Amino acid sequence: FLCIFLISGFLLLDYYMEAKKQERMNEELARLKHGYDLEYFTIVEGIPIEPVESTVQGNLGSDDHKKEENSDVSQKEEAQYIPKLSEINPDYVFWLEIPDTSIDYPVVHKDNDYYLKRDFYGDKNKHGTIFLDVNCESDGTFLLLHGHNMKDGTMFGGLREFKKKDFRSKHTELLIGYEQKEVEFKIVAGVLVDLYDSNRFVFEKLPGSDQEAEDYFANLKKYAFWCEPFEWESGKRVVLLSTCDYETEEQRLVIFAIEE
């Protein structure tokens, strides 16, 4: 019993430490993306901050006050150099946000295995990173995103709240932020899929033509546990958020959003 207690305690402590590390990382990445408190932003844990060259050039003169003032400007410029997320991780493709929820994360694109248990910096972490399916393109029509359903509510753990009608009615907006623009989506449907069911909705088989898309959405409406009225027009982007759901051994919860 002592061994079981010690092992359980170690595993709980390890999970807690990873969760705290993930929380700090999420906060600093969100600060980079959204620009929170940039005036006081000087050190970011884990992020390679590089100083910018001073824009103060030429003869500064002999006035000590001017030298001090220019020095302060230079220091401020150095402190506020903020790298792009794509500079920190070349696999970064865009930012995912559902306002007023815990879902506010960077999305990466590599393969369907690497980021399952690695954080944004590539360090091992059970929380993983939200990633774009290997069969998708970051600027494609259909964007299938994968993330873990964490018990602490992080990553895609918050998606389970969409099973509640009251929550759905208050959270209908999804945002995809590229470096040069932000795209708004309306959250319209949710489906529970048992991967062992031979008659299931094959959500991961994304359509390649308009006709296939029409058939795809017809199946979505058939299998969805909730679906708002919507019309899809050719070229409009669609986001799928997929995570594990533990009602069965291999069940997935998938939330759908369509570009407005």
Side-chain angles (χ1 to χ4, degrees), residues 172-177 181-187 237 239 257-260:
T172 60
E173 184 182 26
L174 181 149
L175 304 174
I176 295 292
K181 63 180 179 179
E182 187 172 75
V183 184
E184 297 181 359
F185 295 76
K186 181 180 179 182
I187 300 173
R237 278 175 279 194
V239 174
I258 295 181
E259 183 178 0
E260 292 192 302

Short mmCIF file of all heavy atoms in Angstrom, two decimals, residues 172-177 181-187 237 239 257-260:
data_model
loop_
_atom_site.label_atom_id
_atom_site.label_comp_id
_atom_site.label_asym_id
_atom_site.label_seq_id
_atom_site.Cartn_x
_atom_site.Cartn_y
_atom_site.Cartn_z
N THR A 172 -21.15 31.36 -29.52
CA THR A 172 -21.43 31.01 -30.92
C THR A 172 -20.32 31.46 -31.87
O THR A 172 -20.39 31.17 -33.06
CB THR A 172 -22.75 31.66 -31.36
OG1 THR A 172 -22.64 33.09 -31.24
CG2 THR A 172 -23.91 31.18 -30.50
N GLU A 173 -19.31 32.14 -31.34
CA GLU A 173 -18.27 32.71 -32.20
C GLU A 173 -16.95 31.97 -32.04
O GLU A 173 -16.55 31.61 -30.94
CB GLU A 173 -18.07 34.19 -31.85
CG GLU A 173 -17.08 34.91 -32.76
CD GLU A 173 -16.86 36.35 -32.34
OE1 GLU A 173 -17.04 36.67 -31.15
OE2 GLU A 173 -16.50 37.17 -33.21
N LEU A 174 -16.28 31.76 -33.16
CA LEU A 174 -14.94 31.16 -33.18
C LEU A 174 -14.07 32.03 -34.08
O LEU A 174 -14.52 32.48 -35.14
CB LEU A 174 -15.00 29.72 -33.69
CG LEU A 174 -13.70 28.92 -33.76
CD1 LEU A 174 -13.99 27.42 -33.54
CD2 LEU A 174 -12.98 29.09 -35.10
N LEU A 175 -12.83 32.26 -33.66
CA LEU A 175 -11.93 33.12 -34.41
C LEU A 175 -10.66 32.37 -34.80
O LEU A 175 -10.09 31.64 -33.99
CB LEU A 175 -11.55 34.34 -33.58
CG LEU A 175 -12.70 35.21 -33.05
CD1 LEU A 175 -12.16 36.29 -32.12
CD2 LEU A 175 -13.47 35.83 -34.20
N ILE A 176 -10.24 32.55 -36.04
CA ILE A 176 -8.96 32.05 -36.52
C ILE A 176 -8.11 33.27 -36.87
O ILE A 176 -8.48 34.08 -37.73
CB ILE A 176 -9.11 31.15 -37.77
CG1 ILE A 176 -9.87 29.87 -37.43
CG2 ILE A 176 -7.74 30.83 -38.36
CD1 ILE A 176 -9.13 28.92 -36.53
N GLY A 177 -6.97 33.41 -36.20
CA GLY A 177 -6.12 34.57 -36.41
C GLY A 177 -4.86 34.22 -37.17
O GLY A 177 -3.99 33.52 -36.64
N LYS A 181 -4.53 38.78 -40.78
CA LYS A 181 -5.98 38.96 -40.72
C LYS A 181 -6.60 38.00 -39.71
O LYS A 181 -5.97 37.04 -39.27
CB LYS A 181 -6.61 38.72 -42.10
CG LYS A 181 -6.42 37.31 -42.64
CD LYS A 181 -7.07 37.13 -44.00
CE LYS A 181 -6.85 35.70 -44.55
NZ LYS A 181 -7.50 35.51 -45.85
N GLU A 182 -7.86 38.26 -39.39
CA GLU A 182 -8.62 37.40 -38.49
C GLU A 182 -9.92 37.02 -39.19
O GLU A 182 -10.58 37.86 -39.80
CB GLU A 182 -8.92 38.13 -37.18
CG GLU A 182 -9.56 37.25 -36.12
CD GLU A 182 -9.65 37.96 -34.78
OE1 GLU A 182 -10.53 38.84 -34.67
OE2 GLU A 182 -8.86 37.64 -33.88
N VAL A 183 -10.27 35.74 -39.12
CA VAL A 183 -11.46 35.23 -39.80
C VAL A 183 -12.47 34.79 -38.75
O VAL A 183 -12.13 34.06 -37.81
CB VAL A 183 -11.12 34.05 -40.73
CG1 VAL A 183 -12.36 33.61 -41.50
CG2 VAL A 183 -10.01 34.44 -41.70
N GLU A 184 -13.73 35.24 -38.90
CA GLU A 184 -14.78 34.91 -37.94
C GLU A 184 -15.60 33.72 -38.44
O GLU A 184 -15.95 33.64 -39.62
CB GLU A 184 -15.69 36.11 -37.73
CG GLU A 184 -14.98 37.31 -37.11
CD GLU A 184 -15.91 38.48 -36.87
OE1 GLU A 184 -17.11 38.36 -37.21
OE2 GLU A 184 -15.46 39.51 -36.35
N PHE A 185 -15.92 32.84 -37.50
CA PHE A 185 -16.74 31.66 -37.80
C PHE A 185 -17.91 31.60 -36.83
O PHE A 185 -17.81 32.08 -35.69
CB PHE A 185 -15.92 30.38 -37.64
CG PHE A 185 -14.79 30.22 -38.64
CD1 PHE A 185 -13.62 30.94 -38.49
CD2 PHE A 185 -14.91 29.35 -39.71
CE1 PHE A 185 -12.57 30.80 -39.39
CE2 PHE A 185 -13.88 29.20 -40.62
CZ PHE A 185 -12.72 29.93 -40.46
N LYS A 186 -18.99 30.99 -37.26
CA LYS A 186 -20.14 30.75 -36.39
C LYS A 186 -20.18 29.27 -36.03
O LYS A 186 -20.14 28.40 -36.91
CB LYS A 186 -21.44 31.14 -37.08
CG LYS A 186 -22.68 30.92 -36.20
CD LYS A 186 -23.96 31.32 -36.92
CE LYS A 186 -25.17 31.07 -36.03
NZ LYS A 186 -26.44 31.42 -36.72
N ILE A 187 -20.23 28.97 -34.74
CA ILE A 187 -20.31 27.59 -34.27
C ILE A 187 -21.73 27.09 -34.48
O ILE A 187 -22.69 27.68 -33.97
CB ILE A 187 -19.90 27.50 -32.79
CG1 ILE A 187 -18.46 28.00 -32.62
CG2 ILE A 187 -20.04 26.07 -32.27
CD1 ILE A 187 -18.02 28.13 -31.18
N ARG A 237 -14.93 28.70 -45.52
CA ARG A 237 -14.14 27.77 -44.73
C ARG A 237 -14.94 27.15 -43.59
O ARG A 237 -15.88 27.75 -43.07
CB ARG A 237 -12.88 28.47 -44.20
CG ARG A 237 -11.78 28.52 -45.23
CD ARG A 237 -10.60 29.31 -44.74
NE ARG A 237 -10.83 30.73 -44.91
CZ ARG A 237 -9.86 31.64 -44.81
NH1 ARG A 237 -8.64 31.28 -44.52
NH2 ARG A 237 -10.12 32.92 -45.00
N VAL A 239 -14.38 24.90 -39.89
CA VAL A 239 -13.46 24.46 -38.84
C VAL A 239 -14.10 23.31 -38.07
O VAL A 239 -15.27 23.38 -37.69
CB VAL A 239 -13.12 25.61 -37.87
CG1 VAL A 239 -12.29 25.09 -36.69
CG2 VAL A 239 -12.36 26.71 -38.59
N ALA A 257 -17.79 24.73 -37.07
CA ALA A 257 -18.02 26.16 -37.23
C ALA A 257 -17.83 26.52 -38.70
O ALA A 257 -16.95 25.98 -39.37
CB ALA A 257 -17.06 26.97 -36.36
N ILE A 258 -18.65 27.47 -39.19
CA ILE A 258 -18.61 27.86 -40.61
C ILE A 258 -18.30 29.35 -40.70
O ILE A 258 -18.82 30.16 -39.93
CB ILE A 258 -19.94 27.53 -41.30
CG1 ILE A 258 -20.15 26.01 -41.33
CG2 ILE A 258 -19.97 28.08 -42.72
CD1 ILE A 258 -21.40 25.57 -42.01
N GLU A 259 -17.47 29.71 -41.66
CA GLU A 259 -17.05 31.09 -41.86
C GLU A 259 -18.27 31.98 -42.12
O GLU A 259 -19.16 31.65 -42.91
CB GLU A 259 -16.09 31.18 -43.04
CG GLU A 259 -15.55 32.56 -43.30
CD GLU A 259 -14.55 32.59 -44.46
OE1 GLU A 259 -14.30 31.53 -45.05
OE2 GLU A 259 -14.06 33.70 -44.78
N GLU A 260 -18.29 33.12 -41.44
CA GLU A 260 -19.41 34.05 -41.60
C GLU A 260 -19.18 35.00 -42.77
O GLU A 260 -18.05 35.21 -43.19
CB GLU A 260 -19.59 34.86 -40.31
CG GLU A 260 -20.06 33.98 -39.15
CD GLU A 260 -20.52 34.81 -37.97
OE1 GLU A 260 -19.72 35.61 -37.45
OE2 GLU A 260 -21.68 34.64 -37.56
#
